[in-house]
Amino acid sequence: MPATGSSRRRWCCTGHGGGAPHAHGGAREALRPPRLRLRGRGRGGVPFPGAPSLEPVISRLSSSHPASSISFHLLPRVAYTPPPPGGNPVAGMFDVLRLNNPALLSLLRSLSPPPRALVLDFFCTDALDVAAELALPAYFLFSSGAANLAVFLHLPTTRRRRQLQGPRPSPRPLPGREAHPRLRHAPGAVGPRHRHLPGPRPQLRAPPQLPGHPRQHVRGARARPRARPPQRASAPRAPHAPHLLRRPPRHRRLEKAKRGGGVGGEGDGRPEAERHACLAWLDARPERSVVFLCFGSMGAFSADQLRETALGLERSGHGFLWVVRSPPDPDPSKAFAPRPEPDLGALLPEGFLDRTAGRGLVVPSWAPQVEVLRHGAVGAFVSHCGWNSSLEAITAGVPLVCWPLYAEQRMNKVFLVDEIRVGVAVDGYDQALVAADEVERKVRLVMETDDGERLRARAAELKDKAAAALDEGGSSHAAFQEFLKDLAKQEENAV
């Protein structure tokens, strides 16, 4: 993540860059504190072995914000042996991040004037050791939702007690929490059943063969927030979400105030000449007539699922813009490895591209999601429910068809569908295959029915609330001001 701050308060932010699309999205969002001028220096970007180069992404971001006084520093690649075939790639990711600590420490010591604070990506908990070495206040930028945060903040309790002793005061029990006794009284999270909690489920047992995961999450959870985090810009607070988050901390945490969609988004900074072809295609489509399908930088489906999805879209009769990525490698150790460009002719049903050429567009691998969601032709978003994507949809006023795939996305689905009522879930998303009939049914529901109109009206309402929150004096603006005040207080205490 890039560094931001004021001319008096320089703070450095470090994050992982598992792939260029992921790094681009996260870095772009971190460049958007609500209505505040950006000044600062420093970034410790962590390149992963085998991942695409981040240099083009950093160059684009730098040129997109020439007046922000942001500087970027890409740490050198570390010598690292990837996990063996069948090995766990998440453990490897934490190993790479830990091995980057010496380079990060050297970078921070070289900066002049020296940094005043260190803002860490959620995954970079080992960098707390670097902050301690330099006596810097450390903040966590947690880029997911409050429900997921509540679960992770509760992990130290589940590990310490193994079995919770009676109910905790105040918070309402989570519906379905009886499915997992260790979380039966965990306060603060939106009410998913155990199958909705961040996966894989063995995380709760902290197996020794995964040295960084979830032990690092537990370590990060012990870095308690100094104060209750700010409300999210894009949605009303869930009635039982913030209770856990009021406890006094030992470290500070920075809750990210997200921007995107139709609320003051600056796009990706590329000139009109570089505008993606899919945006020109959308220009020719009627208003709210297109279903946009995109599943994040890590989301990918099997060839069988791609064919079922294609058939469902074709039968729906509606326009669509679909980002298709190559199917995942069957070797789990290659989960973070770059994928080849998809062979659309081989992956999709025979004749599909020709039959839908008049109303559909399939884009290989990547599309400018924020710009697409902001486009008036888009009427619905079929999404994996990643938190970036969810907030970008809400701030653009676009309802969601929720198809969660991994990590905390099932929890996000519960929040989007049951709590703020801006989406509808794909039935069978947690099964091996979602049938073409279900894809067709959900597209028709959101594009043709009264229920779809209600979702659109709700999305428009939340878009307005997001705009108010991000504006000067809004909750997100105030939250970022509180962070700057806390940073100033740390500086005064250090003098």
Side-chain angles (χ1 to χ4, degrees):
M1 306 299 173
T4 59
S6 73
S7 56
R8 292 193 312 108
R9 305 185 187 101
R10 292 179 173 83
W11 44 290
C12 293
C13 193
T14 183
H16 68 92
H22 174 83
H24 182 198
R28 181 183 62 218
E29 293 303 333
L31 280 165
R32 294 177 178 171
R35 302 293 194 274
L36 292 176
R37 187 178 182 185
L38 302 177
R39 291 184 181 275
R41 65 174 294 114
R43 176 194 190 237
V46 180
F48 276 73
S53 172
L54 295 179
E55 292 178 358
V57 177
I58 291 175
S59 176
R60 181 181 300 166
L61 288 168
S62 298
S63 62
S64 300
H65 301 80
S68 63
S69 301
I70 300 171
S71 60
F72 296 84
H73 301 270
L74 188 63
L75 300 182
R77 292 181 183 268
V78 298
Y80 172 72
T81 302
N88 189 285
V90 178
M93 178 186 72
F94 282 104
D95 287 340
V96 171
L97 291 169
R98 186 185 69 254
L99 291 171
N100 273 274
N101 270 8
L104 176 60
L105 180 62
S106 177
L107 168 66
L108 296 179
R109 282 176 168 163
S110 71
L111 297 178
S112 180
R116 298 291 188 267
L118 186 63
V119 181
L120 301 171
D121 183 278
F122 169 51
F123 292 97
C124 297
T125 48
D126 271 314
L128 287 172
D129 296 333
V130 175
E133 176 75 16
L134 300 176
L136 289 176
Y139 296 79
F140 277 105
L141 191 149
F142 190 87
S143 57
S144 189
N148 189 40
L149 174 63
V151 169
F152 281 121
L153 288 177
H154 200 66
L155 284 178
T157 300
T158 64
R159 285 170 61 87
R160 184 172 61 250
R161 298 183 180 178
R162 298 294 178 180
Q163 179 69 44
L164 300 178
Q165 302 296 322
R168 302 185 66 83
S170 299
R172 187 175 72 188
L174 301 188
R177 193 155 32 189
E178 66 279 0
H180 197 286
R182 293 186 189 174
L183 294 175
R184 184 174 299 143
H185 303 294
V190 172
R193 292 185 179 273
H194 181 223
R195 67 187 179 91
H196 295 133
L197 295 172
R201 296 174 194 179
Q203 284 183 355
L204 293 171
R205 294 194 293 272
Q209 66 270 27
L210 302 185
H213 188 56
R215 186 188 69 191
Q216 298 301 73
H217 292 327
V218 174
R219 182 183 182 188
R222 286 174 178 153
R224 296 284 186 172
R226 175 174 291 275
R228 196 177 83 183
Q231 296 180 23
R232 279 296 186 179
S234 60
R237 187 179 68 226
H240 47 287
H243 294 284
L244 174 62
L245 310 179
R246 293 174 178 162
R247 296 184 179 186
R250 282 177 286 182
H251 288 273
R252 275 73 58 199
R253 187 185 61 84
L254 173 62
E255 178 76 20
K256 179 162 62 175
K258 303 285 289 189
R259 294 182 65 180
V263 184
E266 298 89 356
D268 61 5
R270 290 176 293 184
E272 184 68 21
E274 298 180 21
R275 192 169 183 247
H276 198 282
C278 72
L279 298 175
W281 181 84
L282 285 172
D283 290 342
R285 306 298 304 174
E287 184 177 4
R288 297 193 304 185
S289 66
V290 173
V291 179
F292 178 43
L293 300 91
C294 189
F295 299 92
S297 57
M298 294 289 295
F301 291 108
S302 67
D304 288 342
Q305 184 62 77
L306 290 175
R307 285 189 286 271
E308 289 293 313
T309 304
L311 292 174
L313 290 173
E314 184 176 3
R315 294 172 187 170
S316 75
H318 288 280
F320 62 87
L321 172 58
W322 182 17
V323 179
V324 172
R325 306 182 75 231
S326 294
D329 194 294
D331 181 356
S333 69
K334 298 180 179 179
F336 298 143
R339 292 192 180 97
E341 285 293 291
D343 184 347
L344 299 179
L347 289 171
L348 302 178
E350 184 177 358
F352 169 78
L353 294 174
D354 293 332
R355 293 191 301 271
T356 60
R359 61 179 173 88
L361 179 65
V362 179
V363 177
S365 298
W366 184 85
Q369 181 169 291
V370 172
E371 287 73 17
V372 169
L373 289 170
R374 292 172 59 190
H375 200 287
V378 173
F381 182 26
V382 183
S383 170
H384 64 311
C385 304
W387 200 241
N388 268 0
S389 295
S390 299
L391 294 183
E392 287 167 0
I394 293 170
T395 53
V398 177
L400 293 106
V401 177
C402 299
W403 194 332
L405 301 177
Y406 55 87
E408 90 289 9
Q409 293 161 15
R410 293 173 177 83
M411 293 182 68
N412 296 342
K413 185 272 299 182
V414 173
F415 182 73
L416 295 166
V417 174
D418 298 336
E419 292 286 332
I420 63 171
R421 305 182 308 283
V422 75
V424 60
V426 171
D427 292 338
Y429 66 83
D430 52 356
Q431 304 300 315
L433 196 70
V434 173
D437 288 347
E438 173 62 9
V439 175
E440 176 188 2
R441 183 161 43 248
K442 285 308 185 319
V443 168
R444 289 185 178 276
L445 183 152
V446 77
M447 298 296 285
E448 298 177 3
T449 69
D450 290 342
D451 286 341
E453 284 302 315
R454 282 190 286 271
L455 290 174
R456 243 180 299 282
R458 178 62 171 162
E461 176 188 351
L462 293 179
K463 174 184 175 180
D464 292 341
K465 291 184 177 182
L470 289 163
D471 208 351
E472 188 168 355
S475 59
S476 289
H477 181 273
F480 200 83
Q481 293 283 9
E482 284 299 313
F483 161 67
L484 294 179
K485 290 178 183 178
D486 186 73
L487 181 57
K489 184 176 181 180
Q490 300 302 316
E491 291 181 14
E492 293 172 1
N493 294 339
V495 174

